[in-house]
Amino acid sequence: MCYLVLEIFGGAEYAGIVTDENGNNKVFDELADAEAEAADCQDGIVVEL
């Protein structure tokens, strides 16, 4: 599996995929890594792909 983190601060209509400093989507192979990234967001959620 792989995971994305969505930042949904302000409501679902403002959701965006968390990106790195180069603007590339961050894709995680481990759920624990994705959950740690989501914890750093104001309102992050993990989405399993």
Side-chain angles (χ1 to χ4, degrees):
M1 293 291 161
C2 60
Y3 305 91
L4 293 176
V5 175
L6 297 181
E7 171 66 69
I8 57 170
F9 182 73
E13 62 271 17
Y14 302 109
I17 298 173
V18 173
T19 60
D20 64 15
E21 58 277 348
N22 295 319
N24 299 314
N25 295 341
K26 285 188 171 182
V27 179
F28 300 91
D29 293 324
E30 301 293 329
L31 178 58
D33 295 336
E35 289 174 338
E37 183 71 29
D40 287 338
C41 298
Q42 289 186 353
D43 196 1
I45 61 169
V46 177
V47 178
E48 181 180 342
L49 299 179

